[in-house]
Amino acid sequence: MSHYILALLSTGFIGVAAAQSVDSEKLLNPPVDAWLTYHGAYNGQRHSGLMQITPENIQNLKQMWRFDTGGNQVIKASPILVDGVLYLTTPDNLWAIDARTGKERWHYQHPLNNAFHIGHRGAAVYKDTVYLTTPDCHLIAFNSKDGKIKWNVVIADSSKGYWSSNAPLVVKNHVLVGVSGDFDNVPGQLKSIDADTGKTQWIFYSTPPAGGTQTASGGATGGQMWTTGTYDPELNLVFVGTGNPTPVLNGTIRPGDNPWTCSIVALNPDTGKLEWGFQVSPHDTHDWDANEVPVQADADFDGQPRKLVMQASRNGYFFVLDRTNGKNLLTAPFAAVNWAKGIDSLGRPIPNPAKEPKKDGVLVAPNEAGATNFRPPSFDPKTGFLIVSAVDGYGIYFFKTEHGAYGWAGADYGVAGKSFLRAIDYRTGKIAWEHPIGDGSGTAGVLTTETGLTISGDNRESVMALRTSDGATLWHENIGRMQNAPVTVSLDGKQVLIVAGGPSLYALTLP
Amino acid sequence: MQAKRTRSILWAALLAGTFLVAQCPKADAQQKANSPRDPNQSPAALPRPKSKASQTYPAAQIKAGELRFGAQCGFCHGRDAAGGESAPDLTRSELVAEDVRGDRLGPLIRTGRVDAGMPAFKLDDSELNSIVAFVHNQMDKFATLSGGRRSVEPADLATGNAADGRAYFNGAGGCSGCHSATGDLAGIANRYRGLALLQRMLYPSGQSDASPREDMSRLTSGQMAHFVQLGAYTDAAMHNVYAYLDTLR
């Protein structure tokens, strides 16, 4: 219906709208007609203040347009929206799409390369530039208007086993980019690249760089920072989750806690200096990256106003920390767990050596895919719920000396899982409600809105809306399997929900 | 590491193809018809399959296949095709052994096994053929190696006590409420060996009833009972029950 009319209207609007310059100020205070960063706001809450779509009218949502990527890859990205243009990615691909019509403005396709193409989380924008990481670890800067390449730099050596799926985080003039690399024993690195020139400003190593003399990690490599962090401008700190150590399942070769793998680290974005670190899985042997979003909230804890950072982590535990100093306030399981002997004085689960991978196998909860994963949760300030896609899952883990000490170094198999959307009360760690979303692992991220909506996806290829206060089902619609979170913006005064299912991106709005 | 798709809980199903899991109490009745060499058997527990027809491919085609395989298949199947994060070792795959120049692999790659977590791949003929060439070349290369880097052998699993396993089966585990060593499980160890037997014991995956349920779960009541039991097993009890089932030949 309104497809054609909207297309006409949008032409007019584009003509009159003044181009937004995405400066640091705008990144700090994103306008309602844009989604400027991976999480939409630096605090990582994925909570929108827009009020048009409500629990009462959400079932009236209608499709404005659908954009198909047409390739092999499903969309695992969270889109960026600025100046009425969406930037959407899959591995090797970046599209600029008219947000009012769903029509392609320009498309970049990266040359074929043999780095892993398992997913891509999204682009980043600053001033008139769009940034894309590629599987073979390039960071490419494009002119946002026409897709012309401004510069193209290598951020890691993909021939050594690194690849990138990372959505960069722009803080001031720093483009923070991470990489992956689990099948090789390579150090964990996060790079800050000058937003204008592409020059490297600093590198933070979560495990010691190759060829050095540092032994702090106990011989572990890994700890990759492949997901997008959050930023607190007052503290001038970036919070990033780090991945599992390598070799992955062989823990005997790397004794000790293996810092800073499986950790939340707080970094100064101007220098890359580590302010504090908190290890959510000391000495991980189960591939439980702590790359889940470190979500910030300014809220009371035990009657005191606190600056909090929280994470529902892949290892099955929920953590609340004071983000000024990294001190633990709360640790509580949010899914089936059987691998820890208890919680230590620092608030860290104590790994049970009996649950390390063994020659004859051990039965472990969660399984390797984790109690959750990179799919972003959302924090609803009104209820104090962190709403997360969780799995009660079990896997069997094997390690014998023949598996060696390089890369995976072991074998593991998922056994079974049941998944839920769970609302964790940040004050207690208790599950306020849960909503079953199917067997196996969920893949959808979460968006909450000020009208009390929780929007996510189930394992049956539906986008769904629940009431944030109690998890009651309000709406669902089949769009294909969701692999990230929806976003919402106001375009020409109308609230639009933008959500990817399978290889397609949908824009939905009220009639 | 980034694990990102619906994944490996369906690993066994992927190997198995399709077969129904019957409701308790005849949980394993369906499998009696299966041949002794069930495809659900762990590939790592078997001798390496031999290629049905010897095939050679031009070096340039293998090289092109290595590139494409690494990019699109390598995360799950391993860059060397010998098993990755979530999908089987193709150098031990019966299907690859039976394949002649893509006659089996081609349709599978293009259709995928979506329920088991493998997407359909849109590839033109030359891209597809290069992947086929690479996989066959890897199978030939690995045939000369002994063991398997990511293997789990039946002998690795043989640490339990069968008598204790039997007691658990008939007692604390509650297994005998649905299963019988002389009924549905008679000869189970002839049909499943090693890892495949352990996986099937822990959780009998496969197709379940297609009708959606209110609670979003597609689990049968038998699967539900196994799922609950996963939270109850000690590792010792798991190995003991495995040892007991391994005696049912």
Side-chain angles (χ1 to χ4, degrees), chain B residues 118-131:
Chain B
M118 175 169 164
F121 289 90
K122 287 184 197 165
L123 298 164
D124 66 30
D125 287 350
S126 110
E127 292 164 347
L128 186 76
N129 291 339
S130 73
I131 288 175

Side-chain angles (χ1 to χ4, degrees), chain A residues 22-72:
Chain A
V22 184
D23 56 16
S24 298
E25 180 54 34
K26 201 151 266 167
L27 288 172
L28 290 169
N29 300 294
V32 294
D33 64 348
W35 193 274
L36 297 181
T37 54
Y38 180 73
H39 298 300
Y42 275 140
N43 62 18
Q45 291 185 355
R46 287 186 179 267
H47 179 81
S48 168
L50 294 175
M51 301 292 284
Q52 275 180 9
I53 302 174
T54 68
E56 289 70 37
N57 67 20
I58 189 159
Q59 67 276 8
N60 300 329
L61 281 180
K62 290 280 180 298
Q63 183 176 315
M64 264 171 81
W65 50 256
R66 182 177 106 179
F67 176 83
D68 293 318
T69 59
N72 285 323

Side-chain angles (χ1 to χ4, degrees), chain A residues 70-73 76 112-119 121 158 160-163 165 179-184 226 243-244 248 287-289 291 314 338 354-355 359-364 367-369 373-375 392-394 396 398 400 402-404 406 408 410-418 435-441 443 458-461 481 483, chain B residues 1-12 42 44 64 66-76 78-79 83-86 114 119-123 127 148-153 155-160 195 198-199 202-205 208 210-220 223-224 226-235 238-239:
Chain A
N72 285 323
Q73 300 280 352
K76 296 183 180 181
L112 179 67
N113 56 87
N114 74 340
F116 291 135
H117 286 51
I118 59 163
R121 318 297 168 208
S158 73
K160 290 198 163 66
Y162 288 107
W163 74 95
S165 61
V179 289
S180 304
D182 244 18
F183 296 95
D184 298 274
W226 50 274
N244 59 283
V248 183
D287 191 30
W288 292 328
D289 309 67
N291 293 91
R314 185 160 162 177
N338 73 358
K355 289 296 184 185
K359 185 173 185 176
D360 59 353
V362 288
L363 182 63
V364 182
N367 62 22
E368 177 212 310
N373 207 294
F374 78 87
R375 49 191 184 273
D392 291 337
Y394 298 84
I396 34 177
F398 298 90
K400 54 186 175 182
E402 296 94 306
H403 288 141
Y406 192 81
W408 204 258
D412 68 277
Y413 302 92
V415 173
K418 284 169 75 70
H435 180 94
I437 54 173
D439 306 331
S441 290
T443 51
D458 65 25
N459 298 354
R460 296 275 180 83
E461 308 203 331
R481 186 80 181 237
Q483 310 261 0
Chain B
M1 126 96 16
Q2 4 198 109
K4 341 340 91 267
R5 75 232 74 115
T6 322
R7 14 162 348 131
S8 42
I9 70 155
L10 290 165
W11 195 86
S42 162
E66 181 179 11
L67 187 69
R68 191 161 289 278
F69 187 92
Q72 298 201 277
C73 322
F75 182 81
C76 295
R79 276 192 300 245
E85 256 224 22
S86 58
V114 177
F121 289 90
K122 287 184 197 165
L123 298 164
E127 292 164 347
R149 288 185 295 125
R150 291 171 278 264
S151 70
V152 175
E153 308 297 336
D156 297 345
L157 303 176
T159 58
L195 182 60
L198 178 65
Q199 288 177 313
L202 291 173
Y203 193 75
S205 61
S208 54
S211 58
R213 296 172 186 214
E214 281 303 303
D215 66 356
M216 288 301 296
S217 177
R218 300 188 198 196
L219 304 190
T220 63
Q223 285 175 316
M224 248 339 276
H226 277 255
F227 189 81
V228 170
Q229 178 61 24
L230 291 174
Y233 272 125
T234 61
D235 289 312
M238 173 178 80
H239 291 124

Side-chain angles (χ1 to χ4, degrees), chain B residues 19-206:
Chain B
F19 56 96
L20 285 165
V21 176
Q23 297 265 342
C24 173
K26 293 189 175 169
D28 248 310
Q30 299 277 343
Q31 276 79 65
K32 288 202 168 153
N34 288 347
S35 69
R37 204 172 184 200
D38 193 283
N40 201 35
Q41 206 157 328
S42 162
L46 289 165
R48 286 186 175 278
K50 301 266 185 301
S51 290
K52 192 170 94 178
S54 165
Q55 295 154 69
T56 54
Y57 295 90
Q61 192 179 29
I62 293 167
K63 188 81 198 147
E66 181 179 11
L67 187 69
R68 191 161 289 278
F69 187 92
Q72 298 201 277
C73 322
F75 182 81
C76 295
H77 286 289
R79 276 192 300 245
D80 56 4
E85 256 224 22
S86 58
D89 177 350
L90 298 178
T91 69
R92 290 172 175 271
S93 160
E94 291 281 356
L95 192 104
V96 175
E98 285 166 18
D99 178 84
V100 180
R101 302 200 172 272
D103 64 340
R104 304 287 304 276
L105 287 174
L108 173 64
I109 294 168
R110 286 198 165 128
T111 315
R113 279 176 171 167
V114 177
D115 283 352
M118 175 169 164
F121 289 90
K122 287 184 197 165
L123 298 164
D124 66 30
D125 287 350
S126 110
E127 292 164 347
L128 186 76
N129 291 339
S130 73
I131 288 175
V132 169
F134 173 71
V135 170
H136 279 290
N137 190 59
Q138 288 300 100
M139 183 174 237
D140 293 347
K141 217 191 261 181
F142 274 79
T144 63
L145 303 172
S146 62
R149 288 185 295 125
R150 291 171 278 264
S151 70
V152 175
E153 308 297 336
D156 297 345
L157 303 176
T159 58
N161 179 302
D164 290 349
R166 181 181 182 175
Y168 189 87
F169 182 96
N170 292 314
C175 315
S176 57
C178 291
H179 299 281
S180 157
T182 53
D184 66 313
L185 298 184
I188 185 80
N190 296 327
R191 300 194 293 278
Y192 300 95
R193 289 269 289 145
L195 182 60
L197 178 60
L198 178 65
Q199 288 177 313
R200 183 148 189 94
M201 176 193 106
L202 291 173
Y203 193 75
S205 61

